[in-house]
């Protein structure tokens, strides 16, 4: 089981809800993935609006927990205001905090991120910060009161997969008791399995599933890969070696005399 701010879930896949071909496809992807948490952008959809009411009704019918996000926010004040609005709309203290610092890479503004996290934690929010793989920033976020970290492995929507495995490995080693969820950059199920093999607790996906030829089938493929990676980490994998090692014992081997 995965525990996030006192809430226990069995699935280690968190799914985004943007860019699906239709609400029906989104619903089927959520069902086949087995996810129990979906992220929703307050900016993209407006509850009670022309399309927002139907969208949120669909989410409620799926029976999953909502993790609102501050996607598209480029300043501390904007992110804090969006988080407060999301709390009113969704009746939850959970917030996936994004403070974007660069238009092209969508890299987090880590200075603003820490400041916004400190403000929101002070107001009772349970913050899931989208951050880089920088250890110093991670320490600042934890000091600000965050109890979960969501480092990227590549720019949002890039599908490049893990670009800096040593950094992700170091983050796991430095924060052994902090739930780590890779957010952004995953493109293939093998990417998800790789980060789970490092010991990460979960993966958050959107574009890789929503943009697939068959989103529901891809969601299920990711769910299986994430479980396989987690199981492999739990089982204890052997380390790679420079030299060959025979898998068949040579002791007792028959010889001609």
């Amino acid at each position: 089981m995965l525990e996030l701010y006192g809430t226990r879930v069995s699935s280690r896949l968190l799914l985004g809800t943007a860019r699906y071909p239709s609400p029906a496809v989104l619903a089927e992807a959520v069902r086949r993935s087995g996810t129990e948490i979906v992220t929703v952008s307050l900016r993209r959809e407006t509850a009670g609006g022309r399309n927002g009411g139907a969208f949120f009704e669909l989410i409620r019918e799926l029976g999953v927990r909502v993790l609102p996000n501050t996607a598209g926010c480029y300043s501390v004040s904007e992110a804090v205001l969006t988080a407060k609005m999301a709390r009113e709309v969704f009746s939850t203290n959970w917030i996936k905090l994004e403070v974007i610092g660069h238009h092209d890479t969508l890299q987090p503004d880590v200075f603003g991120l820490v400041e916004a996290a400190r403000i929101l934690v002070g107001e009772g929010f349970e913050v899931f910060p989208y951050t880089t793989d920088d250890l110093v920033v991670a320490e600042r976020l934890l000091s600000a009161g965050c109890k979960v970290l969501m480092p990227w492995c590549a720019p949002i929507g890039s599908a490049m997969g893990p670009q800096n495995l040593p950094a992700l490995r170091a983050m796991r080693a430095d924060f052994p008791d902090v739930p780590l969820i890779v957010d952004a950059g995953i493109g293939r199920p093998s990417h998800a399995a790789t980060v789970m093999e490092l010991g990460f607790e979960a993966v958050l996906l959107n574009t890789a599933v929503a943009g697939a030829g068959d989103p529901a089938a891809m969601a299920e493929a990711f769910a299986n890969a994430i479980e396989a990676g987690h199981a492999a980490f739990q089982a204890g994998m052997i380390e790679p070696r420079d030299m060959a090692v025979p898998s068949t014992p040579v002791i007792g081997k028959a010889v001609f005399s």
Side-chain angles (χ1 to χ4, degrees):
M1 296 290 284
L2 172 62
E3 184 168 334
L4 302 169
Y5 286 108
T7 295
R8 294 168 67 86
V9 293
S10 57
S11 173
R12 296 176 180 274
L13 169 58
L14 288 69
L15 206 57
T17 56
R19 298 189 175 185
Y20 286 84
S22 71
V25 173
L26 165 62
E28 185 60 17
V30 169
R31 291 191 187 96
R32 289 183 62 175
S33 72
T35 186
E36 296 163 61
I37 301 172
V38 298
T39 63
V40 176
S41 170
L42 187 66
R43 280 179 164 273
R44 186 174 60 85
E45 304 285 350
T46 303
R50 186 175 57 184
N51 299 316
F55 174 77
F56 290 124
E57 184 60 31
L58 168 65
I59 297 299
R60 278 192 285 270
E61 289 175 355
L62 292 172
V64 293
R65 178 153 187 160
V66 172
L67 172 59
N69 66 57
T70 62
C73 293
Y74 281 81
S75 70
V76 173
S77 59
E78 197 177 14
V80 169
L81 177 61
T82 302
K84 291 180 178 178
M85 293 171 63
R87 179 158 65 180
E88 294 299 318
V89 170
F90 298 106
S91 301
T92 177
N93 286 330
W94 280 16
I95 189 71
K96 181 192 165 203
L97 180 60
E98 296 185 23
V99 181
I100 302 301
H102 194 276
H103 288 276
D104 293 332
T105 65
L106 299 182
Q107 180 172 345
D109 170 0
V110 295
F111 307 101
L113 181 68
V114 172
E115 182 181 349
R118 184 171 290 109
I119 293 171
L120 291 173
V121 169
E123 299 203 13
F125 281 89
E126 295 171 324
V127 179
F128 296 66
Y130 160 62
T131 183
T132 64
D133 51 22
D134 188 298
L135 294 178
V136 177
V137 176
E139 289 175 349
R140 297 287 193 278
L141 289 167
L142 295 175
S143 296
C146 297
K147 299 186 184 305
V148 174
L149 296 174
M150 302 184 77
W152 71 350
C153 72
I156 292 174
S158 68
M160 292 192 293
Q163 297 298 290
N164 193 344
L165 285 175
L168 295 177
R169 192 176 290 114
M171 182 166 278
R172 176 70 290 167
D174 273 37
F175 310 112
D177 300 322
V178 177
L180 300 178
I181 303 172
V182 165
D183 177 16
I186 296 286
R188 301 182 178 190
S190 58
H191 297 159
T194 296
V195 297
M196 294 301 292
E197 288 174 358
L198 296 179
F200 278 61
E201 270 73 20
V203 170
L204 190 153
L205 298 166
N206 193 155
T207 306
V209 171
D214 185 339
M218 186 60 76
E220 185 174 351
F222 267 109
N224 291 334
I226 289 167
E227 284 305 311
H230 177 66
F233 174 75
Q234 295 289 92
M237 293 168 286
I238 65 171
E239 295 298 323
R241 302 173 181 178
D242 294 331
M243 302 295 292
V245 178
S247 56
T248 302
V250 296
I251 298 176
K253 180 180 178 181
V255 296
F256 292 104
S257 59

